[in-house]
Every structure is written in C-alpha cells, then in structure tokens.
Amino acid sequence: MNEKTTADLENLRGLIDGVDQQLLHLLRKRLDLVAQVGAVKHGAGLPIYAPQREAAMLAKRRGEAVSMNVSPQLIEDILRRLMRESYLNEKDVGFKQVNPDLGHVVIVGGEGKLGGLFSQMLTLSGYQVKVLDKDDWARAEEIFDGAGLVIVTVPISITCSLIKDKLSNLSAECILADLTSVKSEPVKAMLEAHQGPVVGLHPMFGPDVGSLAKQVVVVCHGRDSEQYQWLLEQIQIWGARIVEAEPERHDKAMQLVQAMRHFSSFVYGLNLYKEEADIESLLQFSSPIYRLELAMVGRLFAQSPELYADIIFAQKESMQAIGDYLDNYSQALSLLQAGDRNAFVDQFKEVAQWFGDFAPQFQRESRAMLQSVNDMKTD
Ligand SMILES: O=C(O)C(=O)C[C@]1(C(=O)O)C=C[C@@H](O)C=C1
C-alpha cells in the first residue's frame, strides 16, 4: 500500500468509526424507549411480543429503506436483532400478575433447568414460588400447604410414579400441571392422582432461551380448564404462543420431532467418533450448511446424556419410527449400491413434490441461518 492509499483508508475508517458511534448512541436511545414500553406493558398486562406491531413496523422500514437505496433485508435483519434485545430487556421489568389471589406455587424438581426458568418467570410475575427437590420430601406437607399451583418437572422416567405416589393428597382447589415432553401418560397419571384442575404443558424450548417471546408451549387440557385459564394467559404475557393438542397427537409428533431427531443426531456423532473423524479438518473443509449440521449434532454432546436418554426412551412407539428410518436408509443405500442413479433422482423428485411449498420456504429460512453462520466466522 502506498502512502496515499494508507491515508485515504485511515480517513474513511475514521468516518466509519464516527457513524458506528452514532449508531451506538441511537441503540442506547432505543433501549431506553423500549424499557419505557416494557413498564407500560407491565402495568397493562400486555404481552412482551407484539407481532402486529412488528409486522407493521418492518413493512414501513423496508419501504423506507428501498426509497433510500438501502437493502430492505438489511434493515429487517437489524430490527429483528434489536427486537430480540427488547424481549430480554422488557423481561427485566417483570410481568403483570394475572392471578394475584393464587396461593404460592410449588415447583417439584425446581432445581432442574426448566424448573428454574419457570420459577424465574413466575417470580418476575409476582408469584411466591417454593421449590421442592429430591431432598425436600420430608418437608413436603409443609411446602404443599396452601399451594395454588403445583408444577411437576422431574425426569420423564420418574414423572408418573412420582405423581401417583406423592401428589394424591393435594387440596382439590390446587392446580396440578407438568412440563414433561410426553403428555399421554403424565396427564393420565395427574387425572388419576388428583381431584382438582389438571393441565399438561410441554414447553417446546430449552432452558437457555433467555426470553419466552415467540416460543411455543403445548397445552393438553386435563380437567376444569376455566380454573387454569389465568396460567395460559400468564404464559402468553411472557411472550409465548399456546398450541392446544390432544396428548396422543402431541406424543405421536414427538416420536419424529424429538426421539427420531435426537437419535439420528446421536448416531451421526457416534459414527464420526467411530470413523475417528478429525473435527478440526471437517470444520476447515465445511460449507456453512455442514457447519450448521455439525453444530446441531455437536451441541447434543454438550448436554446431559440422561436428558436425551429420557426423551428417546420415553415412548416405546418411538422405536417403530426409528426402525422405519433405518429401513428407509437401507433402501436408499441399496439404490446407491446398485448404481441406480435414475431411481435416486425419481425418488428425490417424489419427496420434493411431497414437501411442496415447504421446500422453497425452508430454503429461504436456511439461507438466512447460513448467512448468520458465516457472519460468525472470525478467521
Ligand atoms: O412496541 C412494542 O410493543 C415493543 O415492545 C417494542 C418492540 C421493539 O423493539 O420495537 C419489541 C417487542 C415487540 O414485539 C414489538 C416491538
């Protein structure tokens, strides 16, 4: 680089620094305004996530961007990222308490991560939360006394027996709920053990989400739904969407969404290990989509084996779904072994047709994810 180029670059970079600093001041200003919105919403009991406002705002800013010759996708990306920050900041103000007359809440297994998250959200909404963990059963009577809501969040393998053995003496006004990732058996166990209101919940997210905005909570109604309507409203104020489902339909979906999905990730990791793959060089040669795939598999092994064993072993019917996958894998492999390229292409087309409009939709969604993966690269 000659001296002039160096000086020009230095000058321009100085100006860019100035613009970035202005951006920073604007961000601070936006965060302060969002904090005020959070306080207003808290007072009025409005949900943290306002999809209509977001859609209207994004459409306007996109239009303005076009007229200023700025990419509309750029402003949308930036605003979506800022709104993610808003969810976190608005959360800190706390939430309206929908049912101030409720007695305290007991979280059975509250030292677990999901239990901890619910405990935090309920506390931020003004409820008194007591945790009952495995060493506290000697004090159980005292902890349950006066409770308005008991939430069970213990490993799936012990959920039903715990409900049956330990939760059959709750008062009839108390709401009994669970957060288990299968629903048929736990809801049945709760209905058998308890006379009062019963509801099965399945939060479709992990405990590290930060905010519940845009997350989904599946609800399986048990008994006396009018008694726990406030709880569903409270969850919506936290920003989550409620999806109602019959326990059987939910559990069937989980065989594919959870058991089969996690099991194939497990086998993928097992295979890399047995093949003695060199992760460093896989990463070096990986396309963004492969990196994403490796991240999806690798993150499994950063978590608790018991948790995944619990999910995978939860329903014996999952074995059928996993067995079908193995059969399809073998059949597809036999096309390859037979060198039958045409049959592979035909099969591909058949599946693509079945995916229909979802295929291009998933392609668009993954494009945005892949760009973020690329943005995160530092070398
Ligand atoms: O306008 C609101 O209701 C806000 O809470 C602010 C804001 C934003 O950051 O602009 C954040 C979350 C909502 O989903 C919509 C918009």
Side-chain angles (χ1 to χ4, degrees), residues 81-379:
R81 177 63 189 85
L82 290 179
M83 288 189 289
R84 166 141 64 93
E85 211 59 25
S86 305
Y87 310 145
L88 291 175
N89 286 310
E90 286 183 26
K91 190 181 100 183
D92 294 339
V93 196
F95 299 95
K96 184 187 163 176
Q97 186 177 19
V98 181
N99 188 358
D101 301 329
L102 186 83
H104 64 272
V105 180
V106 178
I107 303 196
V108 180
E111 278 171 19
K113 289 189 179 145
L114 200 55
L117 176 67
F118 269 73
S119 168
Q120 186 200 16
M121 298 307 287
L122 286 160
T123 308
L124 281 170
S125 312
Y127 299 95
Q128 192 203 347
V129 177
K130 295 185 183 178
V131 164
L132 193 155
D133 231 87
K134 37 185 182 313
D135 301 328
D136 304 321
W137 284 105
R139 295 191 298 119
E141 206 173 319
E142 172 200 332
I143 295 174
F144 285 132
D145 188 32
L149 167 65
V150 171
I151 302 179
V152 182
T153 172
V154 297
I156 306 175
S157 52
I158 60 164
T159 299
C160 291
S161 54
L162 182 141
I163 291 169
K164 184 164 166 263
D165 298 342
K166 310 265 194 197
L167 301 178
S168 56
N169 285 322
L170 298 175
S171 86
E173 297 83 58
C174 179
I175 300 161
L176 179 57
D178 80 312
L179 304 181
T180 320
S181 65
V182 287
K183 293 272 59 91
S184 302
E185 296 296 325
V187 170
K188 205 168 116 212
M190 289 192 292
L191 285 169
E192 277 169 15
H194 182 53
Q195 301 302 310
V198 164
V199 59
L201 304 172
H202 181 194
M204 299 300 301
F205 46 82
D208 52 359
V209 283
S211 149
L212 263 59
K214 299 187 188 183
Q215 303 292 349
V216 168
V217 176
V218 174
V219 172
C220 296
H221 294 291
R223 180 191 298 127
D224 298 343
S225 64
E226 67 291 347
Q227 300 296 320
Y228 58 74
Q229 200 49 43
W230 68 268
L231 177 60
L232 308 187
E233 224 174 282
Q234 189 72 63
I235 292 173
Q236 283 166 305
I237 287 182
W238 297 339
R241 190 156 62 87
I242 297 287
V243 174
E244 295 177 333
E246 292 299 318
E248 291 72 26
R249 189 168 75 86
H250 165 274
D251 287 0
K252 188 145 182 47
M254 287 311 119
Q255 290 160 24
L256 289 179
V257 173
Q258 293 205 314
M260 203 272 271
R261 175 66 257 146
H262 296 320
F263 191 77
S264 33
S265 291
F266 164 73
V267 176
Y268 196 120
L270 178 71
N271 190 57
L272 288 178
Y273 158 69
K274 291 210 168 165
E275 295 282 322
E276 296 183 30
D278 173 8
I279 297 186
E280 283 288 351
S281 52
L282 289 184
L283 280 175
Q284 237 166 12
F285 296 125
S286 68
S287 59
I289 189 76
Y290 187 72
R291 204 191 162 98
L292 204 58
E293 196 162 306
L294 209 52
M296 197 165 103
V297 173
R299 79 188 296 281
L300 192 84
F301 296 96
Q303 299 173 68
S304 147
E306 279 81 17
L307 174 71
Y308 282 97
D310 249 7
I311 293 173
I312 291 168
F313 284 69
Q315 298 186 66
K316 54 182 182 324
E317 293 80 0
S318 299
M319 264 187 297
Q320 180 69 43
I322 294 169
D324 290 348
Y325 185 74
L326 186 60
D327 291 346
N328 288 321
Y329 202 104
S330 301
Q331 280 171 30
L333 179 63
S334 65
L335 297 182
L336 188 64
Q337 283 162 338
D340 197 345
R341 194 173 183 281
N342 290 340
F344 173 82
V345 170
D346 287 344
Q347 184 91 84
F348 194 113
K349 285 183 187 159
E350 205 178 315
V351 180
Q353 199 170 19
W354 176 80
F355 264 94
D357 292 342
F358 283 115
Q361 179 190 324
F362 292 149
Q363 191 185 25
R364 277 194 304 279
E365 283 177 15
S366 62
R367 198 174 291 140
M369 288 182 214
L370 296 182
Q371 279 161 351
S372 308
V373 172
N374 218 36
D375 290 346
M376 271 157 43
K377 279 194 198 154
T378 52
D379 51 4

Side-chain angles (χ1 to χ4, degrees), residues 30 34 37 41 48-50 53-54 57 83 86-87 90:
R30 194 181 199 283
V34 162
V37 172
K41 284 187 172 180
I48 195 166
Y49 171 45
R53 161 70 182 154
E54 290 196 5
M57 178 171 80
M83 288 189 289
S86 305
Y87 310 145
E90 286 183 26

